[in-house]
Amino acid sequence: MTQFSDNIRFLRTQKGFSKQKLADALEIKAAAYTTYEDGRTEPPFSVLQRIARYYHISVDLLLSVDIRKVNIEKLLTLEDNRIVLPITVDKNGENLIEIVPHKAKAGYLAGYSDPEYIESLQHISLPFLRNGKFRAFPIEGKSMPPFQDGSFIVGQYVEKAENIKDGHTYVMLTKDDGIVYKRVYRKGRKFMFHSDNPEFEPYEVKTTDILEVWKFAFALISKEYQPDDIPQDSMRDLLLDIKRDIKKLVSGNS
C-alpha cells in the first residue's frame, strides 16, 4: 500500500499535524498509525473509512491516486465518500465542462474515477449551465434520433440512482456497455434502457452494474439530420420531448 502510505503522509503534513494529533483525531494509537504511514501494516477497513471521512476523500482515491497531483480544493465530495469529481472553472468563474472525445470513449470506463484522466480531457464552457457538475459524452449510432455519430450529449451528474426519473434520457456508464445514452425506466431493482428508435430493442440493466448517471442537460449536434433519419411514427413524440426538455432547461436557468 505504498500509494496509500504516501497519501496519508502527504495529507497529514499538509495540515501540519503530528502523528499523535492525527491518531487522536482518528481515535487510534499513534504507534498503529505510524505503521500505516510507514507502509508496514494495512489499516482495518473501519480505520480506512475513518481516514477517508476525516479528509473528505474517497477510499478509492486514497488507495489508487497520487494525491500530490490532485487539487483537493477542486473536488466535489459525494455522499459516503463514494467518489469525487473534479470541478474546474475558467478565469471568469464559469464551470468548465469536460469533453470525452470519440477516440477516448472506450477508455472512459477505466478512467472515469481517475482525476488525472479527467484533467487530461479538453474543456468547454456553457455559461447557461450552472449549479451542477456537467460532462459531454459522444454519441454513436442511430438509436436515439436526432442524435447520431458526431453528436455530444452534455449531462448533469446524478448522485443517486433513486433520483432517476422514468421516461427521461440519461447518459449511463455501465460495467458491460460503457457509455450509453438511453431513455430510462425503473423496473424493481433494475432499469430498462429504451431507444427512441423502435428498431432497437429495450434491455435490462442491474442497478449494481451502473457506475455513473448523467441526466440530459444539453446537446451539441455537428450534423443536420434528414427526415429519413427518424422513423416517421416516432418523430412527433421525439420533437415534443425535446421541446419539453428545452422548456425545462430555460425555466431552470431563468
Side-chain angles (χ1 to χ4, degrees):
M1 299 183 70
T2 303
Q3 189 67 72
F4 172 75
S5 303
D6 291 344
N7 281 339
I8 61 173
R9 181 183 299 108
F10 172 74
L11 291 169
R12 178 181 60 79
T13 56
Q14 282 288 98
K15 286 185 172 292
F17 290 170
S18 66
K19 294 178 182 178
Q20 182 65 60
K21 183 174 181 178
L22 186 58
D24 291 342
L26 297 173
E27 299 180 348
I28 60 176
K29 294 182 178 179
Y33 174 81
T34 298
T35 64
Y36 307 150
E37 194 170 291
D38 292 344
R40 288 182 280 130
T41 60
E42 299 178 358
F45 184 68
S46 60
V47 175
L48 184 59
Q49 280 188 316
R50 214 174 300 165
I51 294 172
R53 288 170 179 165
Y54 180 79
Y55 288 117
H56 302 291
I57 295 176
S58 70
V59 171
D60 179 67
L61 201 67
L62 281 175
L63 296 177
S64 59
V65 176
D66 187 346
I67 297 294
R68 293 170 296 183
K69 298 180 181 179
V70 178
N71 189 334
I72 301 298
E73 295 180 355
K74 292 183 179 180
L75 291 178
L76 173 64
T77 305
L78 302 181
E79 182 181 353
D80 296 329
N81 291 286
R82 288 183 291 107
I83 63 172
V84 289
L85 297 174
I87 296 290
T88 53
V89 296
D90 63 16
K91 62 181 180 181
N92 297 317
E94 298 289 351
N95 274 10
L96 289 175
I97 300 169
E98 299 98 1
I99 302 176
V100 181
H102 284 270
K103 64 181 181 180
K105 182 178 178 181
Y108 186 78
L109 182 60
Y112 76 98
S113 61
D114 182 351
E116 289 186 78
Y117 170 83
I118 299 302
E119 288 178 0
S120 72
L121 299 175
Q122 293 183 330
H123 301 80
I124 59 171
S125 177
L126 297 174
F128 52 84
L129 292 182
R130 301 173 183 271
N131 303 321
K133 174 62 187 174
F134 300 90
R135 188 165 293 162
F137 298 89
I139 299 302
E140 297 176 349
K142 296 183 178 182
S143 68
M144 294 293 287
F147 313 118
Q148 49 187 310
D149 294 349
S151 300
F152 283 84
I153 299 297
V154 179
Q156 181 176 8
Y157 185 76
V158 177
E159 182 179 342
K160 300 177 182 179
E162 51 262 40
N163 292 335
I164 295 175
K165 298 180 180 179
D166 280 356
H168 289 250
T169 60
Y170 297 86
V171 174
M172 311 289 263
L173 180 66
T174 69
K175 294 179 181 178
D176 294 331
D177 298 324
I179 298 171
V180 295
Y181 175 55
K182 297 295 178 184
R183 195 168 298 278
V184 181
Y185 296 87
R186 192 179 303 277
K187 185 180 179 182
R189 295 184 179 180
K190 299 179 181 179
F191 288 93
M192 293 298 299
F193 285 13
H194 286 251
S195 300
D196 285 346
N197 185 340
E199 296 177 4
F200 294 81
E201 293 291 330
Y203 59 96
E204 289 183 350
V205 178
K206 296 178 181 177
T207 303
T208 52
D209 289 338
I210 297 174
L211 303 175
E212 279 190 342
V213 179
W214 300 80
K215 185 181 185 302
F216 176 91
F218 193 73
L220 302 169
I221 304 176
S222 61
K223 292 187 284 187
E224 65 175 344
Y225 66 90
Q226 301 299 322
D228 290 343
D229 291 336
I230 307 178
Q232 294 299 315
D233 58 353
S234 64
M235 183 183 294
R236 180 176 177 276
D237 289 341
L238 173 64
L239 294 177
L240 287 174
D241 284 339
I242 293 175
K243 184 177 180 180
R244 283 193 291 267
D245 285 338
I246 292 174
K247 186 176 181 180
K248 289 179 181 178
L249 179 63
V250 172
S251 62
N253 289 279
S254 61

